[in-house]
Amino acid sequence: MDSFEPDGTGARDGNGAPDSLPPPPPVIPPDFVPTRVEEQEPAKKKVVRVPISRRGLGSRGQRISLLTNHFKVNVTNVEGHFYHYSVSVSYEDGRPVDGKGAGRKVIDRVQETYNAELDGKDFAYDGEKSLFTVGPLPRNKLEFTVVLEDISSNRNNGNASPDAHGSPNGNDRKRLRRPYRSKTFKVEISFAAKIPIQAIANALRGQESENSQEAFRVLDIILRQHAAKQGCLLVRQSFFHNDPKNFADVGGGVLGCRGFHSSFRTTQGGLSLNIDVSTTMIIQPGPVVDFLIANQNVRDPFSIDWAKAKRTLKNLRIKTITSNQEYKITGLSEKLCKEQMFSLKQKNVKDDDGEVQELEITVYDYFVNNRNIDLRYSGDLPCINVGKPKRPTYIPLELCELVSLQRYTKALTNLQRASLVEKSRQKPQERMSVLSNALKLSKYDNEPMLRSCGISISTNFAQVEGRVLPAPRLKFGNGEDFSPRNGRWNFNNKKLVQPTKIERWAVVNFSARCDIRSLVRDLIKCGEMKGILIDQPFDVFEESPQFRRSSPVVRVEKMFDEIQSKLPGAPQFLLCLLPERKNSDLYGPWKRKNLADFGIVTQCMAPMRVNDQYLTNVLLKINAKLGGLNSLLAVEHSPSIPIVSKVPTIILGMDVSHGSPGHSDIPSIAAVVSSRHWPLISRYRAAVRTQSPKVEMIDSLFKKVSDTEDEGIIRELLLDFYTSSGKRKPEQIIIFRDGVSESQFNQVLNVELNQIIEACKFLDEKWSPKFAVIVAQKNHHTKFFQSGSPDNVPPGEPFHNFVQHKSITALDITFENFLFMQELLLTTKSVIQETMTSTFVPMLE
């Protein structure tokens, strides 16, 4: 049809006569010429980036034989399947059961009671909603009812004695056999998915899939369940036995509990079981009063701050010494034990209406007179409350003991942290012995689910080959070269590459005992030897004795009041002398005041044993903070770093730190460190942002606020690189990302990297730099040992034939190689330095 005009014949009525209505008007002009519709391009499919596989093995360096804490695993039943079932556990009235411990007990009872109906199948239960078997259950949906003795319940009828369940008399013992002490549970098990065990073998060949991830999840759940049945405390894939030999007192009523991490890992040497030493913090078990005395660092129970004690004890589990009954602490009594009243029903005394009479009695009198229990000191202390708000149940303090293996989740003090580090230290041979014993005690060969999978675990440490890389040469001041030995070097009798000059500075002394005049003189002299010119300080600010017993924050505030009143302007630098050599409470408030409030560079030191080496180390920090440069790589100075020196290249290090345990609501801090002054890589700067608590992905890399404004981190760093590198834009961007798990790799590649690319395009739409993203995982559990030697492995030592899959991630790599990484090992600073481990070097060769 050439036109959309009507044909002009008109419409006719039933007799053939023309219709009286006129034809419709034309809707398109007569001179209209139709045009062919262009075919639309299909929408571009969004590119999903995935980690690349390792391209080969490194060859440089001196070869060395190593052992690692991986134990080879063989899987013979690769033709079988894991069957995944969804589990629902509820009380008789339909309320869901909370708590993994309760769920495990119920599922164990189901397995015991209905073993025949379940075809004798063994379970792997995660304690929540998922259950796995090897092979199918008889039906896709199963329902069971089981009865459990509620041995951990702290319920009573509201009128019982304060410790009714633990009472030694006959009437109270009868209560233990009453029907309400048993509970009925309903369990529904429904088929959810089928997972081929072959997926494990596929993953070992590099063919990772959702099935393989699920299969490894099942294997780790089997390990967790096995540990739970041994009575262990479970913390993710780490397991802790209730053995006092594994406890280390770190002070404050807190113990470090040594256990072990256990998980299956895919490696280029095949499937392995990775076992490592692990430590968690637990509450000191035993008498509650002993814990409180240690926790508050007081002499006796009568000095305890009970308001603080109430917060500390809430939700902890105790048992009474008069029975083995467990309770959960809900609070403390409002009055002392000798004054706290409750109503005791007298079963043999009834009133005229036949009702049982009640006697008002104190908790103290009840236990001493009715229970014949001698209370030595509890009468003048509050009672432990294990009841409910409207139905309290009181127990005298000295009858209560804290149950073992209760996690302590609050932040450790500096002293506790130092004590933990000291007591957790192990020599290589000692660690190997502990790990061998952990594997034997685990008895994985007896685990029925692992046997069903045909899994057998070697008892020998896996042997791997390492390579000790040659140390790169360093460049000091005056053109002097130096080769580090055993991973160490010092600046004795050496000049710095770019020393700074310190002019406007002052000394702040928080009651440290030292000869400040001599200290300043020696610091100036040592600085002169390094090339740093240091003027005499403007003043020395001594802390007033009247503030020495004040809180750290108050002490810092008072000191700053004095500094501001005397200094003519902002100082270039403040040297702070602390009274404690380690773990000073003043350190945090002092740093916060200087850096966050005033932007003043500061260096803290504890002048206990001051010598030239100590002063040199202090001056290295000061010089770097003030913009100086201590040393360079020789190849950086040339410049001849492969790849990096050829074209402008920026190196980024990215990490996020989260609030410590007990402070989960504070914002997370995202930091990115970047190199500057290309072709140098030893100069760097940092950008910091806050973001939502516990969020690992950095959300402020690109932050568009208008069509022309971007307030993101990357723009800030790229502009700094541009201005400091002769107005050159980086053609290559190398990103080190720390702190992400394997499950987050794709987010790094498809969320964070997208932000970085957007930031680049926002600056210049035509600019297309090349990227390499390297994920560095420090918090792995792989450890290495020298075969037949008590020493640690030498520095600069990678291994190359036993590397875990996905340890490293790279995208759009167009560089021929990454040999420059060898040279970066000793000089990558700050975040980048922390993210790198020798594990990743051979992958980059």
Side-chain angles (χ1 to χ4, degrees):
M1 183 181 293
D2 295 328
S3 173
F4 290 101
E5 290 186 66
D7 61 11
T9 58
R12 298 180 180 270
D13 62 16
N15 297 319
D19 196 298
S20 60
L21 291 175
V27 293
I28 297 176
D31 59 348
F32 173 77
V33 178
T35 57
R36 184 178 296 276
V37 176
E38 295 283 342
E39 290 187 11
Q40 291 186 343
E41 291 185 15
K44 288 185 178 180
K45 189 176 179 181
K46 187 176 180 180
V47 177
V48 177
R49 308 179 185 97
V50 294
I52 69 169
S53 58
R54 183 175 175 180
R55 295 185 173 182
L57 302 176
S59 59
R60 302 182 69 185
Q62 180 182 348
R63 298 183 181 275
I64 183 172
S65 179
L66 299 173
L67 297 176
T68 183
N69 59 336
H70 285 249
F71 301 85
K72 189 170 180 58
V73 174
N74 287 318
V75 185
T76 57
N77 182 20
V78 292
E79 302 304 320
H81 288 80
F82 290 122
Y83 281 73
H84 178 194
Y85 293 88
S86 177
V87 178
S88 171
V89 182
S90 59
Y91 293 106
E92 197 171 13
D93 60 6
R95 289 180 298 116
V97 173
D98 296 325
K100 293 184 180 181
R104 289 187 190 280
K105 290 176 185 176
V106 173
I107 294 299
D108 286 346
R109 180 59 59 90
V110 167
Q111 198 168 10
E112 294 168 11
T113 308
Y114 299 98
N115 189 53
E117 289 87 338
L118 295 166
D119 285 354
K121 288 286 183 186
D122 293 302
F123 295 162
Y125 177 52
D126 71 350
E128 294 180 339
K129 303 289 186 184
S130 293
L131 180 149
F132 300 88
T133 61
V134 178
L137 294 174
R139 294 192 303 279
N140 282 349
K141 186 167 185 178
L142 298 159
E143 294 184 4
F144 304 103
T145 301
V146 292
V147 178
L148 279 182
E149 290 293 320
D150 188 22
I151 56 172
S152 62
S153 173
N154 59 2
R155 291 185 179 181
N156 58 35
N157 59 14
N159 297 306
S161 61
D163 189 17
H165 307 319
S167 301
N169 60 63
N171 288 335
D172 285 339
R173 279 200 299 274
K174 288 177 184 175
R175 291 193 183 97
L176 291 174
R177 295 194 292 272
R178 288 187 176 179
Y180 75 82
R181 298 285 292 142
S182 299
K183 287 186 179 176
T184 301
F185 299 89
K186 293 192 294 185
V187 180
E188 292 184 4
I189 300 176
S190 307
F191 174 76
K194 184 178 174 182
I195 307 162
I197 300 178
Q198 180 68 40
I200 296 173
N202 293 343
L204 294 173
R205 291 194 293 269
Q207 301 168 9
E208 298 233 8
S209 65
E210 190 174 332
N211 273 337
S212 60
Q213 293 174 8
E214 281 295 296
F216 287 115
R217 177 180 166 229
V218 176
L219 293 182
D220 283 341
I221 287 172
I222 294 172
L223 298 183
R224 284 177 58 82
Q225 176 177 270
H226 184 69
K229 288 183 176 180
Q230 294 178 332
C232 291
L233 167 66
L234 310 183
V235 183
R236 294 180 292 277
Q237 285 301 127
S238 294
F239 316 130
F240 304 90
H241 289 273
N242 186 18
D243 185 349
K245 294 199 299 289
N246 296 331
F247 301 162
D249 189 352
V250 298
V254 181
L255 307 180
C257 178
R258 180 178 291 173
F260 63 94
H261 166 92
S262 181
S263 65
F264 288 98
R265 308 297 298 176
T266 53
T267 73
Q268 292 185 340
L271 184 63
S272 73
L273 179 70
N274 179 208
I275 296 184
D276 191 23
V277 173
S278 183
T279 302
T280 193
M281 310 315 298
I282 62 172
I283 297 289
Q284 172 185 307
V288 172
V289 68
D290 290 352
F291 164 71
L292 291 175
I293 289 172
N295 183 253
Q296 298 191 14
N297 193 26
V298 294
R299 292 185 177 182
D300 54 58
F302 307 103
S303 305
I304 291 172
D305 178 342
W306 292 106
K308 182 179 178 182
K310 183 178 180 179
R311 294 192 299 270
T312 304
L313 293 175
K314 189 172 177 62
N315 293 327
L316 293 181
R317 302 192 317 278
I318 60 164
K319 64 181 179 181
T320 62
I321 61 175
T322 56
S323 73
N324 206 30
Q325 182 66 41
E326 277 193 26
Y327 305 91
K328 181 184 284 187
I329 298 175
T330 56
L332 300 175
S333 62
E334 294 180 1
K335 298 180 180 179
L336 302 181
C337 187
K338 283 182 177 179
E339 301 170 359
Q340 184 64 55
M341 307 292 291
F342 76 99
S343 298
L344 176 66
K345 284 190 174 181
Q346 297 183 288
K347 295 178 176 52
N348 299 325
V349 181
K350 298 183 179 181
D351 59 18
D352 295 339
D353 297 328
E355 295 289 330
V356 175
Q357 288 193 354
E358 293 184 351
L359 173 67
E360 289 295 313
I361 187 174
T362 66
V363 176
Y364 180 85
D365 287 339
Y366 170 78
F367 277 90
V368 172
N369 300 322
N370 291 40
R371 302 282 298 278
N372 297 317
I373 296 175
D374 182 33
L375 298 178
R376 293 177 294 114
Y377 56 82
S378 292
D380 297 315
L381 301 174
C383 302
I384 298 290
N385 182 7
V386 296
K388 295 187 175 181
K390 294 183 180 179
R391 298 191 306 178
T393 302
Y394 299 119
I395 306 174
L397 191 70
E398 65 188 271
L399 301 184
C400 301
E401 292 192 341
L402 287 162
V403 175
S404 190
L405 295 184
Q406 298 190 74
R407 287 189 73 195
Y408 180 81
T409 56
K410 294 183 176 64
L412 296 180
T413 65
N414 290 333
L415 288 172
Q416 287 173 325
R417 196 158 36 244
S419 176
L420 178 64
V421 170
E422 182 64 30
K423 293 180 179 180
S424 299
R425 190 174 293 132
Q426 286 180 311
K427 292 183 178 179
Q429 296 301 315
E430 181 185 357
R431 182 180 285 257
M432 288 184 71
S433 176
V434 168
L435 296 179
S436 293
N437 289 334
L439 182 59
K440 290 176 185 175
L441 290 172
S442 298
K443 298 180 180 177
Y444 288 135
D445 290 340
N446 298 332
E447 164 54 49
M449 283 286 288
L450 292 181
R451 286 208 307 268
S452 300
C453 302
I455 285 180
S456 59
I457 302 169
S458 169
T459 58
N460 298 320
F461 287 77
Q463 188 162 349
V464 298
E465 186 178 74
R467 294 171 290 109
V468 182
L469 300 177
R473 292 185 64 78
L474 296 177
K475 179 76 70 175
F476 294 125
N478 297 334
E480 183 181 356
D481 282 5
F482 181 79
S483 293
R485 296 177 182 175
N486 297 320
R488 298 181 179 182
W489 68 99
N490 63 52
F491 283 80
N492 291 341
N493 304 317
K494 293 179 176 62
K495 298 273 188 181
L496 306 185
V497 172
Q498 289 181 11
T500 57
K501 183 175 182 182
I502 304 175
E503 297 172 314
R504 294 172 289 107
W505 71 290
V507 180
V508 175
N509 183 22
F510 280 103
S511 307
R513 297 180 180 178
C514 69
D515 184 345
I516 296 179
R517 182 174 296 179
S518 297
L519 175 65
V520 170
R521 184 188 64 237
D522 293 344
L523 188 70
I524 292 173
K525 181 180 177 182
C526 186
E528 187 179 349
M529 294 173 64
K530 307 301 171 198
I532 303 174
L533 298 179
I534 307 175
D535 291 350
Q536 288 293 328
F538 177 84
D539 203 347
V540 175
F541 296 94
E542 296 278 1
E543 183 178 33
S544 173
Q546 62 178 319
F547 299 127
R548 289 178 185 174
R549 295 188 178 275
S550 301
S551 70
V553 172
V554 170
R555 293 174 69 181
V556 169
E557 291 288 346
K558 295 298 182 184
M559 182 63 79
F560 252 89
D561 288 345
E562 186 177 354
I563 293 171
Q564 287 180 293
S565 67
K566 293 185 178 179
L567 284 183
Q572 178 189 11
F573 164 70
L574 288 176
L575 180 67
C576 177
L577 308 182
L578 298 174
E580 296 91 1
R581 185 178 179 190
K582 289 183 179 180
N583 310 311
S584 174
D585 291 333
L586 290 162
Y587 182 85
W590 173 256
K591 287 288 185 180
R592 191 177 304 112
K593 193 72 175 176
N594 279 268
L595 300 176
D597 294 354
F598 290 95
I600 298 173
V601 175
T602 180
Q603 177 64 47
C604 295
M605 61 183 290
M608 302 292 183
R609 299 175 184 174
V610 177
N611 53 31
D612 283 349
Q613 184 63 60
Y614 182 90
L615 292 176
T616 296
N617 291 339
V618 169
L619 284 167
L620 291 176
K621 294 182 177 183
I622 295 172
N623 190 60
K625 290 176 181 179
L626 293 177
L629 194 57
N630 297 334
S631 63
L632 289 172
L633 290 169
V635 290
E636 182 181 8
H637 183 262
S638 306
S640 57
I641 303 175
I643 306 303
V644 174
S645 296
K646 291 181 180 178
V647 295
T649 303
I650 186 173
I651 302 174
L652 306 177
M654 309 195 318
D655 196 6
V656 178
S657 72
H658 307 289
S660 56
H663 296 87
S664 59
D665 57 338
I666 66 173
S668 293
I669 308 295
V672 182
V673 173
S674 69
S675 61
R676 58 202 303 262
H677 283 282
W678 180 84
L680 300 182
I681 59 171
S682 291
R683 283 199 177 278
Y684 52 92
R685 62 161 293 161
V688 179
R689 301 286 193 279
T690 59
Q691 59 188 44
S692 300
K694 300 299 179 184
V695 174
E696 180 57 45
M697 291 298 114
I698 302 176
D699 60 14
S700 52
L701 296 172
F702 175 65
K703 202 166 186 177
K704 183 179 177 182
V705 293
S706 72
D707 290 341
T708 57
E709 287 184 276
D710 166 22
E711 294 181 353
I713 292 175
I714 297 301
R715 176 187 175 91
E716 177 184 327
L717 300 179
L718 289 175
L719 290 177
D720 175 78
F721 180 90
Y722 181 78
T723 55
S724 67
S725 304
K727 295 191 175 181
R728 296 184 182 93
K729 288 180 287 189
E731 295 180 29
Q732 299 172 153
I733 299 178
I734 301 171
I735 303 160
F736 289 90
R737 182 60 163 97
D738 184 28
V740 292
S741 62
E742 292 181 11
S743 63
Q744 296 171 312
F745 282 8
N746 286 334
Q747 286 177 272
V748 172
L749 287 175
N750 296 291
V751 178
E752 289 188 337
L753 184 57
N754 272 356
Q755 287 188 66
I756 296 172
I757 293 172
E758 282 187 81
C760 294
K761 293 295 183 183
F762 195 79
L763 282 169
D764 183 350
E765 183 64 35
K766 297 179 181 179
W767 178 34
S768 297
K770 300 168 185 175
F771 292 88
V773 180
I774 302 167
V775 177
Q777 291 180 302
K778 304 192 305 292
N779 296 325
H780 55 75
H781 287 274
T782 297
K783 301 291 187 294
F784 296 100
F785 310 92
Q786 286 200 71
S787 181
S789 171
D791 299 326
N792 286 317
V793 295
E797 164 133 28
F799 64 100
H800 74 79
N801 63 354
F802 197 81
V803 179
Q804 294 179 34
H805 282 310
K806 300 205 305 186
S807 290
I808 198 159
T809 302
L811 164 74
D812 296 342
I813 296 184
T814 55
F815 317 145
E816 293 179 0
N817 55 48
F818 279 88
L819 287 178
F820 68 89
M821 284 297 302
Q822 173 188 322
E823 309 297 341
L824 288 178
L825 275 175
L826 292 175
T827 57
T828 310
K829 311 291 187 181
S830 190
V831 174
I832 297 178
Q833 184 178 28
E834 292 180 5
T835 59
M836 287 190 57
T837 63
S838 59
T839 303
F840 309 110
V841 177
M843 300 180 183
L844 300 172
E845 287 191 353

